[in-house]
Structures are given as structure tokens and as C-alpha cells.
Amino acid sequence: MQTAARRSNTGSCRYVTTAIPYVNASPHVGFALEMVQADSLARFYRLSGDEVRFLAGTDENSIKNVQAADFAGVPVSELVERNAARFLALRESLDLSFVDFIRTSVDARHRLGAERLWIACFEKGDIYKCAYRGLYCTGCEQFYKSKELHEGRCPEHGTVPELVEEENWFFRLSRYSDRLREIYARGEVEIVPAARRNEVLAWIESGLEDFSISRSAARARGWGIPVPGDPEQVIYVWFDALANYITALGYGTGELLLSRYWTNATSREHVIGKGITRFHAIYWPAMLLSAGLRLPTRILVHGYVTVDGRKIGKSAGNAIDPIPLAAEFGADALRYYLLRHVRSTGDGDFSHERFRQAYESELAGQLGNLVHRVLSMVERYCGGVVPAPPEGYVGTDRLLQGLAVLSAAVAEHLRTFAFDRALEAIWTIVADANRYVSEEEPWALAKAAVSSRNCESAAVCKSKLHGSLFSLMASLLSIAECIAPLLPEASRNLLDKLGETSRRGEPDMLASLIGRRIKAGVPLFPK
């Protein structure tokens, strides 16, 4: 069976990005969620026949990085280098497929592109300088109005903002209120889920104020990109960081990738956490409009991963490192937990106990057990070769009928950013196939086929045995194809067990199963 994704072969050109995290600390499991979501989306598009550029990176020009370096007693450059390497290491640990990784403090293309973006907005008349006094949260790298605080504390970090007074450069966001309202009202930029779109519209309706896009070089301790023409100021983190999506494509240094993956791309999609929706859905589009650049097509917003019911935070001491987690049971085990047990656009909790249970019960106990049982029976009863089903069997078998809609359902869930529902649909087939084994009892059919003294009865049992094993093999092939964007290593291993060859692109995948030599080998998910 061939997936709907593989059949489409649209040949579109797509750009997928994650947010770039601060490197004041090592990555935690909450950011791993974003990485595997974006990676699954990128892999799905590639399997659809699209050309995909998947970008990740690190946000290194922030005051919080300076403060973290001070606390550690090391130079800022040393701290960001060390922690950036840990974020980059997620590629191997989580089996990620990003093709580019941008570091904002050391990538020359980023500095040149950020400077060009500044100049473009300045020449448009959207950047001006004025004195400012406000409440600043270093954790958010954002100024807050008093009414936005919760009992005087940052709504995101729960800390008391510091009062900052200085002369900064500002971006004229207020100029773009009407245009942004129109963009979201018309759906020119899609925000998933819709509740986040409504939140953005409410922010716009409440009135958009111009925002600071620089800070004094003295307060930043000289760390950051100097403002063009004003070396006493450095570019404020959001104007700097958001620019990475286009500087990584050569904005300011070369237009080839920018033209292909931004200006003329079929889609430009940002995968972000809900805490930075305002910056990506309001600040960033306004900056792009000012610079005369295309807007993103979709902003996909996920929730938070909590740990034992508490929000992840360094001060809480619960920032779990995803790399040892992935090493414990494999990258796909962690990918599975984050994609299946954390709703794609909502919050979800992580605990070591639930992680272990998901592996042992759902991966090893359900999928792994199904794979090993079916392949072992094909080896034992059919000499390791997939049998041909009896005539007319394909059109009437209940398991095959269920498979007929699986690939299209999974593809639709992935297109709509519903990774949890995609895996739920796949695991429904896993459960159906396990139940099918128990109901059909291939071992009993095999015994009857060789022990019956009635030749006709023996032939009937053998025919039923071949039909049931063929259906089960078809289910394994369909599962292997459908999990490919989500659990890539498991998909590769399962396809290898199924004797997948160059025939994988044939229109009739069911027919291609017949005669394959399979191998059970070690279990897909060892207990």
C-alpha cells in the first residue's frame, strides 16, 4: 500500500523553521517537542514529493545570555558556543532532518542580513529614536505595560520586571495595525490553532504600540549586532532574532535561496511555542511589510510541556535534558511520546514513568509485538516469503478494508498539524491487526493445513492462512509508510524487515508484497 503523501508528488517548494532558542542554558524536553513537530512536518512534505528546506538555530544576542555567562564566570562567547553545540546535538539524538543551523552571534550572513533589514525599515520611515521608560522582563526580552502584568509579575516567567529608562530606537508598529487586521481577517497568514488567531486579533484590536528594537551597548555589555550608524546601540533581540528566517536564506548576502524558499515558495511555515506568538504573528509580519518582503503562510503554535504538572524552568529545577531520554529507549521513543501524548496545539505533561509506560505498552507491547509475531509466523509457516492471498480475498478482508483509508487520514492530520491524531489513527490499525491475529489464529490454520486428512479441508485452511498473513503483512507495510515522518528510524527498520526494495514507488504496493523475503530479526522495540 502506498501512502497518500507519496502518491501526491506535488513538487512544491516549502520552508519550515523552528524558533531559535536562547542559549543561556542547555535544551530541555519542551524544546524537543518543537523540534520533532517541525521535523515531522518537513519529513511529511518530502515524502509528498516536495522540496523542503528545514532550518533550526540558536538565538545568541540577548542580555540573558550575558547574565548567564556572568553567573557561570565565563566569557559570553564561550557560554553560547558550548550551549549552541548542545542544541545542534539534538539533530543526532532526535533523528532530526534540518539542513541548516544558524547561530546569530557568529554567522556573518546573519549580521549582514540583520543590518540590511534595519536599513530597509529605516528607509521606509518605520524606525525612529526616542527616550523610553518601561518595565522590562529579561526572560522574555520584552517591555511590558503595567496592565499586562499579573499582580506585578511577568505573565510568562512570574518574575518582577525591572524598570529601565534609556534612549532606544523604535519600530513604528502602530502604522501596521489596519494592515495586520486585514491580513488575519482574510486568512492571508494562517495561524494554527484558530484560538491563537483570535488571540492575535484581540491584541490588534486593543491597539498596537511602537516597540523598542535596540538597547544601549553599555547595558548589553557590547554583546550583539551594532545598530547601523549608531554604534552606541545594539539591535534588540526580537528584531535581530526574527530576522534569522530570512538571513539564513541569504537576505543581505545572496538572493538564490531567498528567492526559492521565501519569495517564491509554496509555503513558509514557522513552528513556535505559544509564549512567542505575539512576536511572530505581529512584530515579524509588520517588519516584513516594512521591508517589502513576503509574509509567512502559516504559523503553527504548540503549547508547553510541563513536568509532573509544573512548567519547565531553571529555577524550578525541572528542565529535563532530552538527550539522555532519547538515549534510554531510542530517538523514536521520545518522538512518539511527545507527538502522541502531548496534543499538537495544547499543553502536555511529561514524567519518566509515563514515558516508560508508553514505550513498554504502546511501542514494544503493541506495535513491536505485532511486528515480531507476524514476521515470525511468515518465517515459520511460509518459509520467510510473503504468500499470495486467494482470489477475491483483497476486496473482502476486513483488515485490508480498514487499511484503505489509513494513509489518507494520516496525511490529512499531518497537513493540519495534528500529529497526535495521526499517531492515534495509526495505532487504531495496530490494535485492529493485533485483534485480527487473535481472531484468525494463523497458528491453528497452519496446524490444520498439515494435519487434516481431508485434502479439501487442508487446502481451505492453507488458503485462509495465506490470506490472513498477507493481510497482516499489508498492515505492517502501511504502518511502516505512515509512521515514516513521525518515527523515521522505526519506519526504516520495519521496511527493512519487510524486504522493501526499489519497488517502493510502484502504484500497486499490495501486489509488490507477494514473494518478498522478510526477516523477523530482533524486535522493533525490545522490551
Side-chain angles (χ1 to χ4, degrees), residues 126-188:
D126 287 332
I127 293 179
Y128 63 94
K129 197 172 188 180
C130 75
Y132 185 80
R133 184 174 186 268
L135 298 169
Y136 185 76
C137 173
T138 303
C140 294
E141 295 283 8
Q142 177 187 350
F143 283 100
Y144 279 101
K145 292 179 285 189
S146 295
K147 66 180 182 181
E148 295 176 315
L149 302 177
H150 292 169
E151 298 181 349
R153 296 180 178 272
C154 167
E156 188 69 17
H157 295 90
T159 55
V160 178
E162 62 177 311
L163 185 63
V164 173
E165 186 172 3
E166 62 184 15
E167 188 176 44
N168 289 335
W169 292 93
F170 277 69
F171 178 81
R172 213 178 292 275
L173 181 65
S174 56
R175 174 179 286 180
Y176 293 93
S177 295
D178 291 342
R179 182 69 182 101
L180 289 171
R181 184 185 298 107
E182 180 183 11
I183 284 167
Y184 291 115
R186 293 184 176 182
E188 294 178 39

Side-chain angles (χ1 to χ4, degrees), residues 18 64 66 94 128 158 181 193 195 229 317 372 391 462 466:
T18 66
K64 61 165 51 180
V66 176
L94 298 177
Y128 63 94
R181 184 185 298 107
H372 200 67
E391 186 176 350
K462 184 176 182 180
H466 288 178

